[in-house]
Amino acid sequence: MRPNKRAELIRKSLELFYRNGFHATGMDLVAAETGVSKTSIYKHFRSKEELILAVLQLRDEDFRNWLYRRLEELADTPRGQLEALFDVLEEWFGQPGFQGCMFIKASAEYQSGKDPINMQSAEHKRLLQEHFAALAAKAGAADPAALARQLMILKEGAIVLAAMSHSAAPAKDGRQAALALIKQAVR
Amino acid sequence: MRPNKRAELIRKSLELFYRNGFHATGMDLVAAETGVSKTSIYKHFRSKEELILAVLQLRDEDFRNWLYRRLEELADTPRGQLEALFDVLEEWFGQPGFQGCMFIKASAEYQSGKDPINMQSAEHKRLLQEHFAALAAKAGAADPAALARQLMILKEGAIVLAAMSHSAAPAKDGRQAALALIKQAVR
DNA sequence: ATGTTTGTGTACCGATCTGTAAACTTTCAC
DNA sequence: GTGAAAGTTTACAGATCGGTACACAAACAT
C-alpha cells in the first residue's frame, strides 16, 4: 500500500476518465491500464466513486494552480490578470488532449445535487469564482462579485464551445467579450 | 410498428436520458418505463445509438421552436429578440425539471468528434448560432457573426452554471453581459 | 527458521449491459 | 375459415459492470 502507488493510480485514472468519460470507463480498464489488479485498487479506494472523487481533487488542485500561476506570469496587476484569462484558456484549448472541463462533464454524468461528485464539481467552480471576485475587487470593480460571475459565464461557455467545436476559437470571442465587460465594470 | 408508438417511445426516452444520463439509462429501463418490450423497441431502432439520435432530433426541434417562438412573443424587433434571450433562458432555468442542456451532456458522454451523437449535438449549436447571427445582422451589428458567437458563449456558460448551481441566477448575469455586448456591437 | 503481517493476482460473484432467437397473438386478405 | 404477414413477449446469449473471497507471495519480527 505504498502512497506513491496510490498517486500513480489517481494520475492514470484521471487520464482515462477525462478521455473516455466516467460511466464509460470500467474498473477493469483502469486495472489493465495501470497494471494494478482490481483487488489492489480496491485496497486504496473503497469504491469507484471514491476513486473519482480523488481524481477530481487532483484535477482541482492541478488546474487552479496552473491557471493562477499562468495568470501571474502574464500580468502583474489584478486587472491585467483578469484580462489575461482568455489568453490562458486559449493555451489550454490548444493543448493536444483538450476535451473540455472535467467538472462540467462530471456534473453532467452525476446530476443529482446531493451526489458527492456533483458537489465537488460545484465546489471547484465556487473556488474559481471566489478568486476572480478577489481580483475584481483589487482591480477596483464597482461590483466585483457580479463581474466575477459574468467572467465565469464567459469562461464556462467558451470551454463548452471549444470542446464541442474542437477548436480554440471561442477563446478569442470570449476574450473580446471579457475585455468589454471588464472595461464597463472598472471605471 | 405504429408510428405514434415510435413517437411515444422517443418522448419517454428523452425524459429518461435527460434525467439520468445516457450511459446510466439502460434499454431495460426504457422498456420498463414505456411498457414496450425490448424486442419491440429494437424493431423501431436498430441500436441504442439510433434511439439516442432520434431523441436528440426531437429535442433539437422542440427546443429551437420553443426558443424562437418565445423570443418572438417577447419582442418584435431583431435587437429586442436578442435582448430577450436571457429572459427566455431564465424561464427555462426555472422550470421544475431543468437539468442543463441535453446536447452539452450528450457531447460530454460521447466525446469523439466522429461520433454521430457528438456531431448531431454540434449541429444543434450551429443552428442556434446561425439564427442569432441572422438576428444580429438584421439588428445592424457591425460584425453579426462575432456577436452571435459571443452570445452563444454567454448562453452556454449560463446554462452550465445554472445546472451546476441549481439556480436560475446565472440568467440575470448573462442578461446584463449580453445587453452590454449588444450595445457595443450595434452602433 | 518460523509465524505473522501486508500486499498482490486469479478467479469468481450477482447484477446489468446491449442485442436477439423463437414462440405466440393479432391483423387482415381472400 | 384459412394462411400469410406483422407485431409482441418471454427468455436468453455473451459481454461487461462494480466489487470480493481466497490462495499465494513478499517482508518482517522473533
Side-chain angles (χ1 to χ4, degrees):
Chain A
M1 196 117 76
R2 295 168 310 185
N4 54 337
K5 198 83 179 171
R6 179 188 160 98
E8 168 77 14
L9 222 40
I10 297 175
R11 212 186 49 72
K12 185 70 184 173
S13 300
L14 184 142
E15 192 189 314
L16 291 172
F17 287 136
Y18 184 59
R19 275 216 319 263
N20 298 26
F22 296 95
H23 283 100
T25 303
M27 295 300 279
D28 286 301
L29 181 64
V30 173
E33 288 286 316
T34 56
V36 179
S37 72
K38 277 203 292 179
T39 307
S40 289
I41 296 177
Y42 277 98
K43 292 285 182 199
H44 291 283
F45 307 97
R46 259 174 294 183
S47 64
K48 183 180 183 180
E49 174 177 297
E50 207 171 84
L51 172 59
I52 292 176
L53 288 172
V55 162
L56 291 182
Q57 188 180 338
L58 174 65
R59 181 62 167 186
D60 172 58
E61 288 166 11
D62 281 0
F63 182 82
R64 292 210 338 277
N65 284 339
W66 174 79
L67 176 65
Y68 298 166
R69 184 162 35 76
R70 287 297 293 133
L71 289 179
E72 284 167 13
E73 285 166 6
L74 289 182
D76 49 8
T77 67
R79 175 165 180 168
Q81 288 188 25
L82 289 179
E83 290 172 342
L85 173 58
F86 285 86
D87 297 306
V88 178
L89 289 181
E90 189 172 9
E91 284 180 28
W92 181 30
F93 298 169
Q95 281 170 18
F98 172 74
Q99 295 248 286
C101 170
M102 186 150 211
F103 299 94
I104 293 176
K105 298 198 286 193
S107 74
E109 289 203 48
Y110 302 90
Q111 314 186 42
S112 162
K114 300 188 163 190
D115 191 308
I117 294 174
N118 190 293
M119 291 170 65
Q120 189 152 332
S121 301
E123 174 68 5
H124 168 78
K125 300 298 180 191
R126 222 209 73 238
L127 291 170
L128 280 172
Q129 189 166 311
E130 218 167 50
H131 186 81
F132 294 153
L135 285 177
K138 281 188 219 156
D143 188 343
L147 178 57
R149 291 196 303 269
Q150 290 184 341
L151 291 176
M152 281 296 289
I153 290 177
L154 285 175
K155 168 181 165 291
E156 305 310 321
I159 293 172
V160 164
L161 290 175
M164 283 188 71
S165 67
H166 310 284
S167 145
K172 294 223 187 294
D173 299 305
R175 184 170 177 275
Q176 206 181 351
L179 293 181
L181 295 178
I182 293 169
K183 195 179 213 173
Q184 178 192 257
V186 182
R187 60 190 69 253
Chain B
M1 195 116 79
R2 296 169 307 184
N4 54 336
K5 200 80 179 173
R6 180 188 159 98
E8 167 78 14
L9 222 40
I10 296 175
R11 213 186 48 73
K12 186 69 183 175
S13 300
L14 170 79
E15 190 189 316
L16 291 172
F17 287 135
Y18 184 59
R19 274 216 320 264
N20 297 40
F22 296 95
H23 284 100
T25 302
M27 295 299 277
D28 286 300
L29 181 64
V30 174
E33 290 285 318
T34 56
V36 179
S37 72
K38 276 201 294 177
T39 307
S40 288
I41 297 177
Y42 276 98
K43 291 283 182 199
H44 291 282
F45 307 97
R46 259 174 295 185
S47 63
K48 183 181 181 179
E49 174 178 295
E50 207 171 83
L51 172 59
I52 292 176
L53 288 172
V55 162
L56 291 182
Q57 188 182 336
L58 174 66
R59 180 61 166 187
D60 172 58
E61 287 165 13
D62 281 359
F63 182 81
R64 292 210 337 277
N65 284 340
W66 174 78
L67 176 65
Y68 297 165
R69 183 162 35 78
R70 287 298 293 134
L71 289 178
E72 283 167 14
E73 284 166 6
L74 290 181
D76 49 8
T77 67
R79 174 164 181 166
Q81 288 187 26
L82 288 179
E83 290 173 341
L85 173 58
F86 285 87
D87 297 306
V88 178
L89 290 181
E90 188 171 10
E91 284 178 28
W92 180 30
F93 298 169
Q95 280 169 17
F98 173 74
Q99 294 254 76
C101 170
M102 186 149 211
F103 300 94
I104 293 177
K105 298 198 286 194
S107 74
E109 289 203 49
Y110 302 89
Q111 314 186 44
S112 163
K114 301 185 163 191
D115 191 310
I117 295 174
N118 190 294
M119 291 170 64
Q120 188 151 333
S121 301
E123 174 68 4
H124 169 78
K125 300 297 180 191
R126 221 210 74 235
L127 291 170
L128 280 172
Q129 189 166 311
E130 218 166 51
H131 186 82
F132 294 154
L135 285 177
K138 281 187 221 158
D143 187 343
L147 178 57
R149 291 196 304 268
Q150 289 182 343
L151 291 177
M152 281 297 288
I153 290 176
L154 284 175
K155 168 182 164 289
E156 305 309 321
I159 293 171
V160 165
L161 290 175
M164 283 188 71
S165 67
H166 310 283
S167 146
K172 293 224 186 294
D173 299 304
R175 183 171 179 276
Q176 206 180 351
L179 292 181
L181 295 178
I182 293 169
K183 194 181 215 172
Q184 179 194 256
V186 182
R187 60 189 67 253

